[in-house]
Amino acid sequence: MTSADVGLATASGEPMLPVPYRIADRVVETRDSVTLVLTPAGRPLLPFLAGQFMMLVAPGIGEIAISVSGDPAAADGRLVHTIRAVGAVSTALHDAGPGTVLGVRGPFGTSWDIDSAAGRDLVIVAGGVGLAPLRPVVLGALAARGRYGRVVVIAGARTPAEFLFRGELDAWAVRNNDLETELTIDQPAVGWDGTVGFVTEPLTRLSLDPQHTTAFLCGPEPMMRFCARVLLGKGMPARDIRVSLERNMQCGIGLCGHCQLGPILVCRDGPVVDWELAEPLLSVREL
Ligand SMILES: Cc1cc2nc3c(=O)[nH]c(=O)nc-3n(C[C@H](O)[C@H](O)[C@H](O)COP(=O)(O)OP(=O)(O)OC[C@H]3O[C@@H](n4cnc5c(N)ncnc54)[C@H](O)[C@@H]3O)c2cc1C
């Protein structure tokens, strides 16, 4: 889906007007992260695509961009978001219990466009909370498994306790016949017999077919930069490496300019862009 399509989709509603959604379920993921399942408490929003984001409003506190972490194909009107508490708004959303009504605007931005990778191998690399926006890619690939070649998931966290979706990750890890999953933590930890090191380590060991692979990266910017460098070193073209960018977003629809990054507005032209576009923008130091 192009940003022009997204513009049309949001313009058909009222993109600046939050609509009420109720927290139907709240799942604690880690010490500072939860997954919220939201159901419409009024007019539902338009369907979303994997990789897009919503603006979530904590009433009386503020509004922030949060990606969808649920499967678009299985949404059934619900929105699923995974939120790490880092400041005032994310903490208010994190702390909100079932039954609380939040405001939601969206969906906004570009998608991972997993359909365009049909017939190719998928390499999905997530760092920390970056697994949240990538979860719909994995779920989409598993739901249409025959459409893709190899599917490789590499997920990293600082400690074993900081993996999101731990039960799901463990289930993916034993699914050896159609999914290759490697989990890695930054430092050795008691009780962890898996990989230790940054996600770049398993990625460096991975042998892949560079002309027939599409990569999806999400996590802190240095992580995406190092991973992209590894993939380029393996011969992958920059256009086949997709990343999700994060910038301070306010309007979400390309009007206010807060998320400007060089010539692009990340809310409108991103958050998902290919490395050919992202690389020169991320190598410029922002003042
Ligand atoms: C397109 C997009 C999608 C996003 N998806 C998600 C998501 O799925 N889940 C999620 O938890 N967050 C996501 N974020 C990040 C989220 O929007 C920010 O965490 C949020 O804006 C912080 O607002 P706040 O008021 O809680 O904290 P603020 O008061 O704005 O920030 C508090 C402190 O945390 C720091 N901070 C801000 N953002 C982050 C961050 N992402 N990581 C670490 N430190 C940070 C700030 O520099 C500041 O020091 C996304 C951002 C974008 C742009």
Side-chain angles (χ1 to χ4, degrees):
M1 181 183 242
T2 66
S3 53
D5 295 328
V6 172
L8 282 177
T10 51
S12 66
E14 291 176 77
M16 293 304 291
L17 191 67
V19 300
Y21 270 70
R22 184 168 285 109
I23 300 178
D25 197 9
R26 177 181 185 271
V27 178
V28 175
E29 299 285 354
T30 68
R31 116 196 109 73
D32 61 3
S33 303
V34 294
T35 293
L36 301 181
V37 179
L38 308 178
T39 52
R43 168 179 73 87
L45 291 166
L46 294 172
F48 60 87
L49 298 168
Q52 289 191 297
F53 67 95
M54 303 284 176
M55 296 299 295
L56 299 191
V57 183
I61 301 183
E63 183 185 52
I64 56 173
I66 297 290
S67 302
V68 294
S69 61
D71 181 359
D76 200 18
R78 289 168 309 171
L79 296 175
V80 181
H81 293 284
T82 302
I83 300 159
R84 182 150 76 100
V86 296
V89 184
S90 52
T91 299
L93 295 169
H94 170 279
D95 293 349
T100 307
V101 175
L102 306 174
V104 186
R105 300 192 289 121
F108 299 128
T110 53
S111 80
W112 290 110
D113 196 10
I114 183 177
D115 287 348
S116 67
R120 298 168 63 84
D121 296 339
L122 311 183
V123 173
I124 299 155
V125 189
V129 79
L131 185 58
L134 283 170
R135 179 172 177 256
V137 176
V138 183
L139 296 177
L142 293 178
R145 189 61 193 88
R147 298 189 68 201
Y148 305 98
R150 283 172 76 192
V151 180
V152 179
V153 176
I154 298 173
R158 271 183 293 215
T159 68
E162 285 173 84
F163 280 109
L164 303 176
F165 320 122
R166 188 58 201 272
E168 201 165 47
L169 283 175
D170 289 343
W172 292 349
V174 295
R175 205 173 154 145
N176 284 327
N177 54 336
D178 63 353
L179 182 65
E180 300 164 56
T181 304
E182 184 153 355
L183 307 185
T184 181
I185 59 169
D186 290 359
Q187 309 266 329
V190 177
W192 179 261
D193 56 5
T195 306
V196 176
F198 296 130
V199 286
T200 42
E201 298 198 13
L203 191 61
T204 303
R205 275 189 273 109
L206 186 71
S207 55
L208 53 78
D209 178 352
Q211 298 307 319
H212 296 100
T213 298
T214 302
F216 303 83
L217 313 179
C218 192
E221 247 166 61
M223 171 235 138
M224 294 195 288
R225 204 176 306 121
F226 285 119
C227 288
R229 208 173 285 166
V230 170
L231 294 169
L232 293 174
K234 289 178 182 289
M236 276 190 66
R239 65 172 181 278
D240 293 332
I241 302 170
R242 299 176 192 171
V243 296
S244 184
L245 301 176
E246 263 194 31
R247 283 295 178 276
N248 171 5
M249 285 181 188
Q250 302 215 348
C251 73
I253 55 171
L255 293 179
C256 74
H258 276 90
C259 63
Q260 180 166 1
L261 179 62
I264 72 165
L265 293 171
V266 176
C267 71
R268 183 194 64 191
D269 307 314
V272 179
V273 296
D274 67 39
W275 191 246
E276 204 165 27
L277 176 64
E279 198 277 332
L281 301 179
L282 297 186
S283 58
V284 175
R285 224 180 133 186
E286 289 180 78
L287 298 173

